[in-house]
PDB file of all heavy atoms in Angstrom:
ATOM      1  N   GLY A   4      -6.373  -4.913   6.839  1.00  0.00           N
ATOM      2  CA  GLY A   4      -7.577  -5.584   7.268  1.00  0.00           C
ATOM      3  C   GLY A   4      -8.526  -4.743   8.102  1.00  0.00           C
ATOM      4  O   GLY A   4      -9.375  -5.281   8.774  1.00  0.00           O
ATOM      5  N   SER A   5      -8.396  -3.415   8.067  1.00  0.00           N
ATOM      6  CA  SER A   5      -9.255  -2.595   8.904  1.00  0.00           C
ATOM      7  C   SER A   5     -10.652  -2.428   8.317  1.00  0.00           C
ATOM      8  O   SER A   5     -11.572  -2.085   9.014  1.00  0.00           O
ATOM      9  CB  SER A   5      -8.630  -1.221   9.131  1.00  0.00           C
ATOM     10  OG  SER A   5      -8.514  -0.535   7.910  1.00  0.00           O
ATOM     11  N   ALA A   6     -10.784  -2.658   7.048  1.00  0.00           N
ATOM     12  CA  ALA A   6     -12.092  -2.541   6.418  1.00  0.00           C
ATOM     13  C   ALA A   6     -12.615  -3.943   6.109  1.00  0.00           C
ATOM     14  O   ALA A   6     -11.858  -4.886   5.956  1.00  0.00           O
ATOM     15  CB  ALA A   6     -11.993  -1.720   5.136  1.00  0.00           C
ATOM     16  N   ALA A   7     -13.904  -4.067   6.014  1.00  0.00           N
ATOM     17  CA  ALA A   7     -14.483  -5.363   5.703  1.00  0.00           C
ATOM     18  C   ALA A   7     -14.038  -5.805   4.317  1.00  0.00           C
ATOM     19  O   ALA A   7     -13.917  -5.001   3.399  1.00  0.00           O
ATOM     20  CB  ALA A   7     -16.010  -5.261   5.752  1.00  0.00           C
ATOM     21  N   ALA A   8     -13.758  -7.090   4.180  1.00  0.00           N
ATOM     22  CA  ALA A   8     -13.351  -7.622   2.887  1.00  0.00           C
ATOM     23  C   ALA A   8     -14.517  -7.507   1.917  1.00  0.00           C
ATOM     24  O   ALA A   8     -15.670  -7.526   2.296  1.00  0.00           O
ATOM     25  CB  ALA A   8     -12.910  -9.069   3.043  1.00  0.00           C
ATOM     26  N   GLY A   9     -14.207  -7.403   0.659  1.00  0.00           N
ATOM     27  CA  GLY A   9     -15.229  -7.316  -0.361  1.00  0.00           C
ATOM     28  C   GLY A   9     -14.756  -6.419  -1.471  1.00  0.00           C
ATOM     29  O   GLY A   9     -13.863  -5.606  -1.284  1.00  0.00           O
ATOM     30  N   GLY A  10     -15.293  -6.597  -2.634  1.00  0.00           N
ATOM     31  CA  GLY A  10     -14.878  -5.815  -3.779  1.00  0.00           C
ATOM     32  C   GLY A  10     -13.620  -6.401  -4.396  1.00  0.00           C
ATOM     33  O   GLY A  10     -13.157  -7.474  -4.028  1.00  0.00           O
ATOM     34  N   ASP A  11     -13.084  -5.687  -5.369  1.00  0.00           N
ATOM     35  CA  ASP A  11     -11.902  -6.141  -6.074  1.00  0.00           C
ATOM     36  C   ASP A  11     -10.778  -5.140  -5.913  1.00  0.00           C
ATOM     37  O   ASP A  11     -11.016  -3.936  -5.762  1.00  0.00           O
ATOM     38  CB  ASP A  11     -12.197  -6.300  -7.572  1.00  0.00           C
ATOM     39  CG  ASP A  11     -13.197  -7.406  -7.857  1.00  0.00           C
ATOM     40  OD1 ASP A  11     -13.264  -8.366  -7.062  1.00  0.00           O
ATOM     41  OD2 ASP A  11     -13.908  -7.311  -8.864  1.00  0.00           O
ATOM     42  N   CYS A  12      -9.548  -5.617  -5.979  1.00  0.00           N
ATOM     43  CA  CYS A  12      -8.374  -4.742  -5.939  1.00  0.00           C
ATOM     44  C   CYS A  12      -8.386  -3.897  -7.211  1.00  0.00           C
ATOM     45  O   CYS A  12      -8.555  -4.432  -8.309  1.00  0.00           O
ATOM     46  CB  CYS A  12      -7.105  -5.592  -5.872  1.00  0.00           C
ATOM     47  SG  CYS A  12      -5.576  -4.646  -6.003  1.00  0.00           S
ATOM     48  N   PRO A  13      -8.213  -2.581  -7.106  1.00  0.00           N
ATOM     49  CA  PRO A  13      -8.246  -1.729  -8.290  1.00  0.00           C
ATOM     50  C   PRO A  13      -6.997  -1.859  -9.154  1.00  0.00           C
ATOM     51  O   PRO A  13      -6.961  -1.331 -10.258  1.00  0.00           O
ATOM     52  CB  PRO A  13      -8.368  -0.320  -7.714  1.00  0.00           C
ATOM     53  CG  PRO A  13      -7.761  -0.422  -6.365  1.00  0.00           C
ATOM     54  CD  PRO A  13      -8.079  -1.815  -5.878  1.00  0.00           C
ATOM     55  N   VAL A  14      -5.988  -2.588  -8.696  1.00  0.00           N
ATOM     56  CA  VAL A  14      -4.759  -2.763  -9.472  1.00  0.00           C
ATOM     57  C   VAL A  14      -4.796  -4.074 -10.257  1.00  0.00           C
ATOM     58  O   VAL A  14      -4.625  -4.087 -11.466  1.00  0.00           O
ATOM     59  CB  VAL A  14      -3.517  -2.696  -8.553  1.00  0.00           C
ATOM     60  CG1 VAL A  14      -2.248  -2.967  -9.334  1.00  0.00           C
ATOM     61  CG2 VAL A  14      -3.445  -1.342  -7.859  1.00  0.00           C
ATOM     62  N   CYS A  15      -5.038  -5.192  -9.549  1.00  0.00           N
ATOM     63  CA  CYS A  15      -4.993  -6.505 -10.216  1.00  0.00           C
ATOM     64  C   CYS A  15      -6.373  -7.104 -10.473  1.00  0.00           C
ATOM     65  O   CYS A  15      -6.483  -8.140 -11.126  1.00  0.00           O
ATOM     66  CB  CYS A  15      -4.153  -7.476  -9.383  1.00  0.00           C
ATOM     67  SG  CYS A  15      -4.913  -7.948  -7.808  1.00  0.00           S
ATOM     68  N   TYR A  16      -7.418  -6.490  -9.922  1.00  0.00           N
ATOM     69  CA  TYR A  16      -8.806  -6.924 -10.086  1.00  0.00           C
ATOM     70  C   TYR A  16      -9.133  -8.261  -9.425  1.00  0.00           C
ATOM     71  O   TYR A  16     -10.159  -8.854  -9.707  1.00  0.00           O
ATOM     72  CB  TYR A  16      -9.211  -6.954 -11.562  1.00  0.00           C
ATOM     73  CG  TYR A  16      -9.049  -5.612 -12.222  1.00  0.00           C
ATOM     74  CD1 TYR A  16      -8.036  -5.405 -13.149  1.00  0.00           C
ATOM     75  CD2 TYR A  16      -9.859  -4.543 -11.893  1.00  0.00           C
ATOM     76  CE1 TYR A  16      -7.856  -4.169 -13.745  1.00  0.00           C
ATOM     77  CE2 TYR A  16      -9.685  -3.297 -12.479  1.00  0.00           C
ATOM     78  CZ  TYR A  16      -8.684  -3.124 -13.403  1.00  0.00           C
ATOM     79  OH  TYR A  16      -8.502  -1.908 -13.981  1.00  0.00           O
ATOM     80  N   GLU A  17      -8.260  -8.730  -8.531  1.00  0.00           N
ATOM     81  CA  GLU A  17      -8.555  -9.937  -7.761  1.00  0.00           C
ATOM     82  C   GLU A  17      -9.461  -9.538  -6.588  1.00  0.00           C
ATOM     83  O   GLU A  17      -9.407  -8.406  -6.118  1.00  0.00           O
ATOM     84  CB  GLU A  17      -7.258 -10.565  -7.233  1.00  0.00           C
ATOM     85  CG  GLU A  17      -6.364 -11.129  -8.320  1.00  0.00           C
ATOM     86  CD  GLU A  17      -6.979 -12.331  -9.003  1.00  0.00           C
ATOM     87  OE1 GLU A  17      -7.642 -13.145  -8.326  1.00  0.00           O
ATOM     88  OE2 GLU A  17      -6.809 -12.456 -10.240  1.00  0.00           O
ATOM     89  N   PRO A  18     -10.264 -10.471  -6.086  1.00  0.00           N
ATOM     90  CA  PRO A  18     -11.116 -10.149  -4.931  1.00  0.00           C
ATOM     91  C   PRO A  18     -10.277  -9.757  -3.719  1.00  0.00           C
ATOM     92  O   PRO A  18      -9.228 -10.357  -3.469  1.00  0.00           O
ATOM     93  CB  PRO A  18     -11.868 -11.452  -4.672  1.00  0.00           C
ATOM     94  CG  PRO A  18     -11.788 -12.216  -5.947  1.00  0.00           C
ATOM     95  CD  PRO A  18     -10.487 -11.830  -6.581  1.00  0.00           C
ATOM     96  N   LEU A  19     -10.737  -8.747  -2.985  1.00  0.00           N
ATOM     97  CA  LEU A  19     -10.048  -8.322  -1.769  1.00  0.00           C
ATOM     98  C   LEU A  19     -10.341  -9.301  -0.654  1.00  0.00           C
ATOM     99  O   LEU A  19     -11.483  -9.718  -0.474  1.00  0.00           O
ATOM    100  CB  LEU A  19     -10.499  -6.923  -1.348  1.00  0.00           C
ATOM    101  CG  LEU A  19     -10.080  -5.784  -2.269  1.00  0.00           C
ATOM    102  CD1 LEU A  19     -10.763  -4.491  -1.838  1.00  0.00           C
ATOM    103  CD2 LEU A  19      -8.568  -5.619  -2.284  1.00  0.00           C
ATOM    104  N   GLY A  20      -9.316  -9.665   0.078  1.00  0.00           N
ATOM    105  CA  GLY A  20      -9.469 -10.576   1.201  1.00  0.00           C
ATOM    106  C   GLY A  20      -9.355  -9.837   2.514  1.00  0.00           C
ATOM    107  O   GLY A  20      -9.240  -8.602   2.556  1.00  0.00           O
ATOM    108  N   PRO A  21      -9.330 -10.577   3.614  1.00  0.00           N
ATOM    109  CA  PRO A  21      -9.236  -9.949   4.937  1.00  0.00           C
ATOM    110  C   PRO A  21      -7.897  -9.266   5.181  1.00  0.00           C
ATOM    111  O   PRO A  21      -7.774  -8.455   6.086  1.00  0.00           O
ATOM    112  CB  PRO A  21      -9.458 -11.107   5.907  1.00  0.00           C
ATOM    113  CG  PRO A  21      -9.152 -12.335   5.114  1.00  0.00           C
ATOM    114  CD  PRO A  21      -9.466 -12.027   3.687  1.00  0.00           C
ATOM    115  N   ASP A  22      -6.882  -9.564   4.376  1.00  0.00           N
ATOM    116  CA  ASP A  22      -5.564  -8.939   4.539  1.00  0.00           C
ATOM    117  C   ASP A  22      -5.384  -7.710   3.650  1.00  0.00           C
ATOM    118  O   ASP A  22      -4.281  -7.198   3.500  1.00  0.00           O
ATOM    119  CB  ASP A  22      -4.451  -9.952   4.273  1.00  0.00           C
ATOM    120  CG  ASP A  22      -4.498 -10.533   2.868  1.00  0.00           C
ATOM    121  OD1 ASP A  22      -5.528 -10.363   2.174  1.00  0.00           O
ATOM    122  OD2 ASP A  22      -3.513 -11.173   2.463  1.00  0.00           O
ATOM    123  N   ALA A  23      -6.478  -7.197   3.075  1.00  0.00           N
ATOM    124  CA  ALA A  23      -6.407  -6.019   2.202  1.00  0.00           C
ATOM    125  C   ALA A  23      -5.874  -4.813   2.971  1.00  0.00           C
ATOM    126  O   ALA A  23      -6.103  -4.675   4.168  1.00  0.00           O
ATOM    127  CB  ALA A  23      -7.788  -5.704   1.634  1.00  0.00           C
ATOM    128  N   LEU A  24      -5.146  -3.955   2.274  1.00  0.00           N
ATOM    129  CA  LEU A  24      -4.611  -2.731   2.864  1.00  0.00           C
ATOM    130  C   LEU A  24      -5.589  -1.597   2.617  1.00  0.00           C
ATOM    131  O   LEU A  24      -6.057  -1.409   1.500  1.00  0.00           O
ATOM    132  CB  LEU A  24      -3.257  -2.386   2.229  1.00  0.00           C
ATOM    133  CG  LEU A  24      -2.157  -3.415   2.423  1.00  0.00           C
ATOM    134  CD1 LEU A  24      -0.944  -3.033   1.584  1.00  0.00           C
ATOM    135  CD2 LEU A  24      -1.776  -3.513   3.873  1.00  0.00           C
ATOM    136  N   SER A  25      -5.895  -0.843   3.670  1.00  0.00           N
ATOM    137  CA  SER A  25      -6.821   0.279   3.571  1.00  0.00           C
ATOM    138  C   SER A  25      -6.060   1.581   3.765  1.00  0.00           C
ATOM    139  O   SER A  25      -5.359   1.745   4.762  1.00  0.00           O
ATOM    140  CB  SER A  25      -7.912   0.182   4.633  1.00  0.00           C
ATOM    141  OG  SER A  25      -8.674  -0.970   4.448  1.00  0.00           O
ATOM    142  N   PHE A  26      -6.184   2.485   2.819  1.00  0.00           N
ATOM    143  CA  PHE A  26      -5.573   3.803   2.928  1.00  0.00           C
ATOM    144  C   PHE A  26      -6.474   4.707   3.761  1.00  0.00           C
ATOM    145  O   PHE A  26      -7.653   4.420   3.949  1.00  0.00           O
ATOM    146  CB  PHE A  26      -5.399   4.429   1.538  1.00  0.00           C
ATOM    147  CG  PHE A  26      -4.298   3.809   0.733  1.00  0.00           C
ATOM    148  CD1 PHE A  26      -4.532   2.717  -0.066  1.00  0.00           C
ATOM    149  CD2 PHE A  26      -3.017   4.347   0.756  1.00  0.00           C
ATOM    150  CE1 PHE A  26      -3.522   2.154  -0.818  1.00  0.00           C
ATOM    151  CE2 PHE A  26      -2.004   3.795   0.010  1.00  0.00           C
ATOM    152  CZ  PHE A  26      -2.255   2.689  -0.769  1.00  0.00           C
ATOM    153  N   GLU A  27      -5.940   5.821   4.239  1.00  0.00           N
ATOM    154  CA  GLU A  27      -6.736   6.784   4.999  1.00  0.00           C
ATOM    155  C   GLU A  27      -7.881   7.346   4.165  1.00  0.00           C
ATOM    156  O   GLU A  27      -8.898   7.758   4.700  1.00  0.00           O
ATOM    157  CB  GLU A  27      -5.842   7.913   5.502  1.00  0.00           C
ATOM    158  CG  GLU A  27      -4.867   7.453   6.559  1.00  0.00           C
ATOM    159  CD  GLU A  27      -3.906   8.533   6.989  1.00  0.00           C
ATOM    160  OE1 GLU A  27      -4.162   9.715   6.714  1.00  0.00           O
ATOM    161  OE2 GLU A  27      -2.901   8.191   7.601  1.00  0.00           O
ATOM    162  N   CYS A  28      -7.721   7.347   2.855  1.00  0.00           N
ATOM    163  CA  CYS A  28      -8.760   7.850   1.953  1.00  0.00           C
ATOM    164  C   CYS A  28      -9.887   6.838   1.754  1.00  0.00           C
ATOM    165  O   CYS A  28     -10.825   7.099   1.010  1.00  0.00           O
ATOM    166  CB  CYS A  28      -8.132   8.198   0.604  1.00  0.00           C
ATOM    167  SG  CYS A  28      -7.347   6.787  -0.212  1.00  0.00           S
ATOM    168  N   GLU A  29      -9.778   5.668   2.404  1.00  0.00           N
ATOM    169  CA  GLU A  29     -10.771   4.590   2.351  1.00  0.00           C
ATOM    170  C   GLU A  29     -10.625   3.684   1.130  1.00  0.00           C
ATOM    171  O   GLU A  29     -11.376   2.720   0.993  1.00  0.00           O
ATOM    172  CB  GLU A  29     -12.220   5.127   2.423  1.00  0.00           C
ATOM    173  CG  GLU A  29     -12.513   5.962   3.643  1.00  0.00           C
ATOM    174  CD  GLU A  29     -12.590   5.148   4.922  1.00  0.00           C
ATOM    175  OE1 GLU A  29     -13.046   4.006   4.882  1.00  0.00           O
ATOM    176  OE2 GLU A  29     -12.169   5.688   5.957  1.00  0.00           O
ATOM    177  N   HIS A  30      -9.686   3.958   0.217  1.00  0.00           N
ATOM    178  CA  HIS A  30      -9.451   3.044  -0.895  1.00  0.00           C
ATOM    179  C   HIS A  30      -8.665   1.850  -0.379  1.00  0.00           C
ATOM    180  O   HIS A  30      -7.925   1.963   0.596  1.00  0.00           O
ATOM    181  CB  HIS A  30      -8.672   3.743  -2.028  1.00  0.00           C
ATOM    182  CG  HIS A  30      -9.476   4.781  -2.721  1.00  0.00           C
ATOM    183  ND1 HIS A  30      -9.031   6.065  -2.900  1.00  0.00           N
ATOM    184  CD2 HIS A  30     -10.717   4.726  -3.268  1.00  0.00           C
ATOM    185  CE1 HIS A  30      -9.963   6.764  -3.536  1.00  0.00           C
ATOM    186  NE2 HIS A  30     -10.991   5.970  -3.766  1.00  0.00           N
ATOM    187  N   ARG A  31      -8.833   0.696  -1.028  1.00  0.00           N
ATOM    188  CA  ARG A  31      -8.180  -0.526  -0.574  1.00  0.00           C
ATOM    189  C   ARG A  31      -7.442  -1.215  -1.718  1.00  0.00           C
ATOM    190  O   ARG A  31      -7.831  -1.114  -2.876  1.00  0.00           O
ATOM    191  CB  ARG A  31      -9.218  -1.485   0.006  1.00  0.00           C
ATOM    192  CG  ARG A  31      -9.881  -0.914   1.236  1.00  0.00           C
ATOM    193  CD  ARG A  31     -10.899  -1.857   1.818  1.00  0.00           C
ATOM    194  NE  ARG A  31     -12.032  -1.953   0.892  1.00  0.00           N
ATOM    195  CZ  ARG A  31     -12.877  -2.959   0.855  1.00  0.00           C
ATOM    196  NH1 ARG A  31     -12.744  -3.963   1.673  1.00  0.00           N
ATOM    197  NH2 ARG A  31     -13.866  -2.960  -0.007  1.00  0.00           N
ATOM    198  N   LEU A  32      -6.370  -1.919  -1.353  1.00  0.00           N
ATOM    199  CA  LEU A  32      -5.593  -2.747  -2.271  1.00  0.00           C
ATOM    200  C   LEU A  32      -5.436  -4.125  -1.658  1.00  0.00           C
ATOM    201  O   LEU A  32      -5.435  -4.263  -0.442  1.00  0.00           O
ATOM    202  CB  LEU A  32      -4.174  -2.188  -2.456  1.00  0.00           C
ATOM    203  CG  LEU A  32      -3.969  -0.847  -3.110  1.00  0.00           C
ATOM    204  CD1 LEU A  32      -2.479  -0.523  -3.124  1.00  0.00           C
ATOM    205  CD2 LEU A  32      -4.509  -0.850  -4.516  1.00  0.00           C
ATOM    206  N   CYS A  33      -5.246  -5.134  -2.508  1.00  0.00           N
ATOM    207  CA  CYS A  33      -4.928  -6.442  -1.947  1.00  0.00           C
ATOM    208  C   CYS A  33      -3.519  -6.371  -1.364  1.00  0.00           C
ATOM    209  O   CYS A  33      -2.717  -5.495  -1.717  1.00  0.00           O
ATOM    210  CB  CYS A  33      -5.036  -7.535  -3.007  1.00  0.00           C
ATOM    211  SG  CYS A  33      -3.758  -7.532  -4.269  1.00  0.00           S
ATOM    212  N   ALA A  34      -3.218  -7.257  -0.442  1.00  0.00           N
ATOM    213  CA  ALA A  34      -1.917  -7.249   0.234  1.00  0.00           C
ATOM    214  C   ALA A  34      -0.779  -7.400  -0.771  1.00  0.00           C
ATOM    215  O   ALA A  34       0.254  -6.742  -0.655  1.00  0.00           O
ATOM    216  CB  ALA A  34      -1.868  -8.354   1.279  1.00  0.00           C
ATOM    217  N   ARG A  35      -0.950  -8.243  -1.776  1.00  0.00           N
ATOM    218  CA  ARG A  35       0.120  -8.479  -2.757  1.00  0.00           C
ATOM    219  C   ARG A  35       0.447  -7.207  -3.527  1.00  0.00           C
ATOM    220  O   ARG A  35       1.621  -6.850  -3.685  1.00  0.00           O
ATOM    221  CB  ARG A  35      -0.289  -9.596  -3.710  1.00  0.00           C
ATOM    222  CG  ARG A  35       0.821  -9.981  -4.682  1.00  0.00           C
ATOM    223  CD  ARG A  35       0.415 -11.130  -5.549  1.00  0.00           C
ATOM    224  NE  ARG A  35      -0.814 -10.749  -6.261  1.00  0.00           N
ATOM    225  CZ  ARG A  35      -1.499 -11.571  -7.019  1.00  0.00           C
ATOM    226  NH1 ARG A  35      -1.135 -12.807  -7.163  1.00  0.00           N
ATOM    227  NH2 ARG A  35      -2.588 -11.153  -7.644  1.00  0.00           N
ATOM    228  N   CYS A  36      -0.547  -6.475  -3.989  1.00  0.00           N
ATOM    229  CA  CYS A  36      -0.302  -5.233  -4.731  1.00  0.00           C
ATOM    230  C   CYS A  36       0.267  -4.152  -3.812  1.00  0.00           C
ATOM    231  O   CYS A  36       1.151  -3.399  -4.209  1.00  0.00           O
ATOM    232  CB  CYS A  36      -1.578  -4.744  -5.402  1.00  0.00           C
ATOM    233  SG  CYS A  36      -2.067  -5.783  -6.806  1.00  0.00           S
ATOM    234  N   GLY A  37      -0.236  -4.074  -2.576  1.00  0.00           N
ATOM    235  CA  GLY A  37       0.276  -3.093  -1.624  1.00  0.00           C
ATOM    236  C   GLY A  37       1.742  -3.335  -1.309  1.00  0.00           C
ATOM    237  O   GLY A  37       2.542  -2.398  -1.266  1.00  0.00           O
ATOM    238  N   GLU A  38       2.107  -4.597  -1.103  1.00  0.00           N
ATOM    239  CA  GLU A  38       3.496  -4.922  -0.807  1.00  0.00           C
ATOM    240  C   GLU A  38       4.396  -4.654  -2.005  1.00  0.00           C
ATOM    241  O   GLU A  38       5.512  -4.163  -1.857  1.00  0.00           O
ATOM    242  CB  GLU A  38       3.599  -6.363  -0.335  1.00  0.00           C
ATOM    243  CG  GLU A  38       2.987  -6.545   1.040  1.00  0.00           C
ATOM    244  CD  GLU A  38       2.790  -7.988   1.448  1.00  0.00           C
ATOM    245  OE1 GLU A  38       3.198  -8.893   0.686  1.00  0.00           O
ATOM    246  OE2 GLU A  38       2.233  -8.205   2.532  1.00  0.00           O
ATOM    247  N   ALA A  39       3.920  -4.957  -3.210  1.00  0.00           N
ATOM    248  CA  ALA A  39       4.708  -4.686  -4.419  1.00  0.00           C
ATOM    249  C   ALA A  39       4.906  -3.184  -4.600  1.00  0.00           C
ATOM    250  O   ALA A  39       6.010  -2.727  -4.929  1.00  0.00           O
ATOM    251  CB  ALA A  39       4.016  -5.294  -5.637  1.00  0.00           C
ATOM    252  N   MET A  40       3.850  -2.413  -4.364  1.00  0.00           N
ATOM    253  CA  MET A  40       3.952  -0.965  -4.498  1.00  0.00           C
ATOM    254  C   MET A  40       4.932  -0.401  -3.472  1.00  0.00           C
ATOM    255  O   MET A  40       5.757   0.462  -3.791  1.00  0.00           O
ATOM    256  CB  MET A  40       2.572  -0.318  -4.331  1.00  0.00           C
ATOM    257  CG  MET A  40       2.577   1.179  -4.576  1.00  0.00           C
ATOM    258  SD  MET A  40       0.924   1.889  -4.636  1.00  0.00           S
ATOM    259  CE  MET A  40       0.471   1.804  -2.932  1.00  0.00           C
ATOM    260  N   ALA A  41       4.874  -0.896  -2.244  1.00  0.00           N
ATOM    261  CA  ALA A  41       5.788  -0.425  -1.202  1.00  0.00           C
ATOM    262  C   ALA A  41       7.236  -0.782  -1.532  1.00  0.00           C
ATOM    263  O   ALA A  41       8.146   0.015  -1.305  1.00  0.00           O
ATOM    264  CB  ALA A  41       5.390  -1.010   0.148  1.00  0.00           C
TER     265      ALA A  41
END
Side-chain angles (χ1 to χ4, degrees):
S5 63
D11 294 332
C12 174
V14 176
C15 69
Y16 302 109
E17 293 293 323
L19 292 172
D22 60 346
L24 298 172
S25 298
F26 287 88
E27 291 176 16
C28 60
E29 303 288 326
H30 291 128
R31 296 180 291 158
L32 295 178
C33 71
R35 185 177 57 186
C36 289
E38 290 168 4
M40 185 171 72

